[in-house]
């Protein structure tokens, strides 16, 4: 049997823990469908016991996804595990991923449990989970900073209870490649029943080494599952990036010698979908999915690539889906072509009413913008207004005046619970005036902690995509808005962030 590397995607769980990256059930479902199209082996859909919203999202994904294993995280207690099993009930192939911290620091300061209590809890939890599902993953949280002898006892015990995957997280991104690889190797060699489980690596990127550490865990340690996220999304400096791991293993098959199930031509579309949904923009020089990843600016490089591509290119842009970035629809495209394109992009809108709303938005956009790209369609459907008639705030229209030497002024009309209101303000610039006009009416008191503008498809003719991050009473949310007019895009993004602030959902933090 070929030596396969299992790709476990945790964008919807660990990725979602980035400040402001929380996603709605529909957004998660759309991304899960795209991950299935990408052929990831395991989708960690969420942490079912953390909130009703997460429970419903895991359930919806479990009921929809057929090819990938669907997994839910759970702390090592019966209630969390039962919730995970319940949410996964409809899954073709479900997995419970249970975890408990094993480092001295976490056990003493966070859990206030003795090592013996942690060992007992880990055993009981895996035993309980095993009665509910066959596929059980166990993670000793902060595993890399745990005492090796103690970790050996815990892991041996949970494998004996039936854990089928053992994941060793570098929770705080402290590892370096050689030491992490050696650590996994030691554990596998020392634990007598280690061959009864698949070993997995889960690295955070605090020192920029998550991908290198994961690869060392695979090559030196013998791990055969990598936990990663699209675009490396995740708390702090993020997680190991899926696209980098996959393309490293694929491009250097001569060295790694491992098989992958991933259909790499869907990588770029998935990256764009995650970025547009969460508002986390991908840096242009990011490996594989950054806008410059395949751009050759210097004359020498261009000349070389024109003569023979492999002079400077080690991967082909089309193999990761860059060629899919083409004009897809225009003003004359009909409803069926639009519906088909949505399907091809993995977008499933609920019911005819939502398709009609999206189609009329597409027509409006096509009137203002001659070429409609895949990115425009994805932005259009991630726009709050498509399926979110129930949202509190929605954009209607804007007029603004700005002239050199004059104070910019904006007058905006937006809906509050379906009723139109108008508000005006001056500001330092047209965007500032527009957002102040909204805030004058709403009086949310939220603090803006990030504002960023990005051109969706690269030129001044493209739509502007704006991310606004607001913080209020300890909650952080990202709002995303897109429009050919960046002042309108900014207003939409601000209203979208306000909507998210209203949707209060108290969740339990995974590592809290
Ligand atoms: O980083 C970590 O330790 C985790 C665990 C919950 C697996 O995400
Ligand atoms: Zn993690």
């Amino acid at each position: 049997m070929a030596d396969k590397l299992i790709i476990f995607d945790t964008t919807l769980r660990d990725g979602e823990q980035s400040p402001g990256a929380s996603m709605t059930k529909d957004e998660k479902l759309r991304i899960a469908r795209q991950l299935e199209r990408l052929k990831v082996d395991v989708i960690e859909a969420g942490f079912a016991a953390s909130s009703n919203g997460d429970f419903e999202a895991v359930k919806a994904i479990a009921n929809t996804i057929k090819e990938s294993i669907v997994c839910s995280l759970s702390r090592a207690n019966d209630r969390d595990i039962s919730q995970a099993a319940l949410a996964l009930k409809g899954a073709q192939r479900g997995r419970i991923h249970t975890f408990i911290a094993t480092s001295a620091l976490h056990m003493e300061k966070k859990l206030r449990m003795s090592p013996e209590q942690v060992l007992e809890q880990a055993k009981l939890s895996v035993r309980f989970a095993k009665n509910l599902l066959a596929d059980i993953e166990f993670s000793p949280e902060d595993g890399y900073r745990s005492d090796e002898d103690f970790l050996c006892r815990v892991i041996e015990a949970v494998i004996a209870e039936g854990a089928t995957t053992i994941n060793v997280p570098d929770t705080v991104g402290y590892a370096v490649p050689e030491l992490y690889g050696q650590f996994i190797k030691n554990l596998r060699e020392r634990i007598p029943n280690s061959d009864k489980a698949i070993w997995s690596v889960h690295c955070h990127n605090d020192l920029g080494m998550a991908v290198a550490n994961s690869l060392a865990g695979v090559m030196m340690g013998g791990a055969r599952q990598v936990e990663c996220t699209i675009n490396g999304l995740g708390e702090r400096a993020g997680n190991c990036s899926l696209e980098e791991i996959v393309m490293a293993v694929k491009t250097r098959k001569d060295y790694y010698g491992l098989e992958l199930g991933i259909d790499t031509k869907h990588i770029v579309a998935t990256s764009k979908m995650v970025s547009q949904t969460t508002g986390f923009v991908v840096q242009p020089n990011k490996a594989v999915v950054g806008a410059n990843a395949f751009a050759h600016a210097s004359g020498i490089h261009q000349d070389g690539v024109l003569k023979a591509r492999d002079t400077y290119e080690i991967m082909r842009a089309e193999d990761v889906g860059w060629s899919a970035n083409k004009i897809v629809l225009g003003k004359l495209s009909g409803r069926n072509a639009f519906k088909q394109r949505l399907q091809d992009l993995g977008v499933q809108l609920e019911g005819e009413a939502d398709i009609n709303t999206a189609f009329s938005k597409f027509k409006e956009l096509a009137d203002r913008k001659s070429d409609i790209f895949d990115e425009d369609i994805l932005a259009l459907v991630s726009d709050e207004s498509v399926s979110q008639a129930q949202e509190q705030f929605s954009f209607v229209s804007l007029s603004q005046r700005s002239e050199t030497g004059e104070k910019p002024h904006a007058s905006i009309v937006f809906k509050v619970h379906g009723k139109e209101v108008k508000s005006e303000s001056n500001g330092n610039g047209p965007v500032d005036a527009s957002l102040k006009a909204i805030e004058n009416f709403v009086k949310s008191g939220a603090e803006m902690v990030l504002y960023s503008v990005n051109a969706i498809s690269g030129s001044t003719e493209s739509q502007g995509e704006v991310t606004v991050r607001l913080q209020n009473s300890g909650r952080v949310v990202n709002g995303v808005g897109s429009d050919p007019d960046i002042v309108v895009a900014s207003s939409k993004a601000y209203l979208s962030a306000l909507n998210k602030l209203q949707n209060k959902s108290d969740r339990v933090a995974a590592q809290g």
Side-chain angles (χ1 to χ4, degrees):
M1 196 175 99
D3 200 2
K4 185 181 171 186
L5 184 64
I6 298 167
I7 298 297
F8 176 114
D9 180 277
T10 182
T11 307
L12 301 176
R13 199 279 297 171
D14 222 359
E16 205 208 13
Q17 283 175 220
S18 320
S22 63
M23 297 169 241
T24 64
K25 182 179 94 178
D26 289 348
E27 288 169 341
K28 287 188 178 182
L29 200 51
R30 192 184 314 143
I31 290 174
R33 284 201 196 95
Q34 182 66 19
L35 291 171
E36 185 178 43
R37 174 171 304 195
L38 183 62
K39 294 197 179 8
V40 305
D41 301 285
V42 188
I43 299 173
E44 189 161 50
F47 174 12
S50 68
S51 68
N52 285 341
D54 244 38
F55 180 88
E56 291 303 327
V58 174
K59 185 171 159 190
I61 293 169
N63 290 343
T64 306
I65 297 301
K66 301 288 173 249
E67 302 298 328
S68 315
I69 294 173
V70 179
C71 172
S72 171
L73 185 71
S74 75
R75 287 168 299 188
N77 65 56
D78 293 2
R79 182 194 164 265
D80 269 29
I81 294 169
S82 305
Q83 287 290 97
L86 195 60
L88 292 170
K89 213 165 142 208
Q92 203 95 345
R93 292 189 295 156
R95 172 180 297 185
I96 296 174
H97 175 192
T98 188
F99 76 99
I100 189 163
T102 51
S103 65
L105 192 65
H106 279 227
M107 289 189 290
E108 188 193 326
K109 301 275 192 258
K110 188 180 84 170
L111 299 176
R112 297 183 198 290
M113 286 168 81
S114 70
E116 292 313 311
Q117 286 173 318
V118 166
L119 171 64
E120 196 51 29
Q121 192 64 35
K123 278 193 332 199
L124 289 175
S125 299
V126 171
R127 190 179 305 162
F128 184 75
K130 195 70 184 178
N131 280 324
L132 302 173
L133 261 179
D135 188 346
I136 305 299
E137 174 167 331
F138 174 80
S139 288
E141 190 195 358
D142 206 17
Y144 179 65
R145 291 195 303 170
S146 303
D147 174 72
E148 198 176 296
D149 293 345
F150 177 60
L151 205 51
C152 284
R153 288 176 63 210
V154 173
I155 294 176
E156 183 180 351
V158 296
I159 295 177
E161 294 292 349
T164 38
T165 300
I166 297 296
N167 178 47
V168 184
D170 175 24
T171 304
V172 292
Y174 181 68
V176 294
E178 295 75 10
L179 298 182
Y180 184 69
Q182 188 62 47
F183 188 61
I184 307 283
K185 186 168 188 277
N186 292 350
L187 294 174
R188 287 186 59 234
E189 283 173 1
R190 290 185 56 190
I191 296 172
N193 55 2
S194 67
D195 61 330
K196 302 279 182 301
I198 290 174
W199 286 69
S200 167
V201 287
H202 177 114
C203 297
H204 282 261
N205 202 32
D206 298 66
L207 294 173
M209 292 193 279
V211 171
N213 289 336
S214 303
L215 289 171
V218 170
M219 282 310 270
M220 290 173 68
R224 285 298 176 265
Q225 173 175 288
V226 174
E227 302 201 349
C228 46
T229 60
I230 301 294
N231 302 335
L233 187 70
E235 262 182 303
R236 308 184 308 274
N239 286 56
C240 170
S241 127
L242 179 145
E243 58 279 3
E244 292 178 23
I245 278 284
V246 164
M247 290 316 290
V249 170
K250 181 173 170 166
T251 308
R252 296 305 311 270
K253 189 158 187 230
D254 58 316
Y255 177 67
Y256 292 109
L258 293 166
E259 298 295 330
L260 287 165
I262 300 292
D263 186 351
T264 59
K265 65 179 184 301
H266 295 296
I267 284 180
V268 168
T270 315
S271 159
K272 290 189 173 181
M273 188 184 280
V274 168
S275 158
Q276 289 185 341
T277 306
T278 58
F280 276 68
V281 177
V282 174
Q283 73 193 56
N285 58 332
K286 166 89 171 62
V288 185
V289 293
N292 288 355
F294 292 89
H296 298 272
S298 96
I300 296 173
H301 287 201
Q302 279 176 355
D303 182 53
V305 169
L306 287 176
K307 285 179 180 145
R309 290 180 68 156
D310 53 5
T311 47
Y312 287 100
E313 272 187 12
I314 57 162
M315 302 173 262
R316 295 183 332 155
E318 52 271 36
D319 287 351
V320 294
W322 276 109
S323 53
N325 178 19
K326 56 184 189 290
I327 300 167
V328 288
L329 295 173
K331 199 176 161 135
L332 300 176
S333 307
R335 193 173 179 282
N336 280 343
F338 177 69
K339 219 170 139 179
Q340 182 60 48
R341 198 61 214 154
L342 285 178
Q343 228 169 57
D344 295 345
L345 287 168
V347 176
Q348 216 161 32
L349 294 178
E350 298 303 327
E352 289 301 298
D354 275 356
I355 296 177
N356 290 342
T357 313
F359 184 60
S360 63
K361 288 180 143 301
F362 159 72
K363 282 292 191 190
E364 266 170 42
L365 183 63
D367 272 341
R368 293 190 291 150
K369 186 175 184 291
S370 48
D371 303 330
I372 307 287
F373 296 83
D374 284 347
E375 291 87 336
D376 292 314
I377 297 178
L378 288 173
L380 192 131
V381 293
S382 46
D383 192 332
E384 295 298 307
S385 40
V386 172
S387 59
Q388 315 211 348
Q390 74 278 19
E391 292 290 12
Q392 186 166 351
F393 305 109
S394 59
F395 177 85
V396 177
S397 65
L398 171 82
S399 79
Q400 48 88 8
R401 236 185 14 251
S402 70
E403 210 176 307
T404 313
E406 296 290 320
K407 194 90 182 147
H409 180 86
S411 167
I412 185 161
V413 180
F414 59 102
K415 283 188 186 167
V416 182
H417 288 308
K419 196 164 166 272
E420 282 191 12
V421 297
K422 185 173 176 185
S423 183
E424 306 196 15
S425 177
N426 287 341
N428 289 343
V431 171
D432 188 47
S434 307
L435 304 196
K436 281 195 171 124
I438 298 174
E439 188 57 29
N440 278 351
F441 185 90
V442 176
K443 297 191 177 24
S444 74
E447 182 194 355
M448 191 184 300
V449 288
L450 180 132
Y451 171 81
S452 88
V453 188
N454 191 33
I456 288 187
S457 45
S459 78
T460 52
E461 284 182 2
S462 80
Q463 294 199 81
E465 184 177 67
V466 174
T467 303
V468 165
R469 183 174 302 164
L470 297 182
Q471 183 172 326
N472 204 2
S473 315
R475 290 190 72 220
V476 180
V477 295
N478 281 348
V480 183
S482 52
D483 197 273
D485 177 336
I486 60 162
V487 188
V488 172
S490 304
S491 306
K492 287 181 176 174
Y494 195 80
L495 291 168
S496 138
L498 289 177
N499 280 327
K500 288 191 178 169
L501 274 182
Q502 306 298 320
N503 290 337
K504 292 203 173 53
S505 80
D506 292 321
R507 356 176 40 191
V508 176
Q511 285 120 310

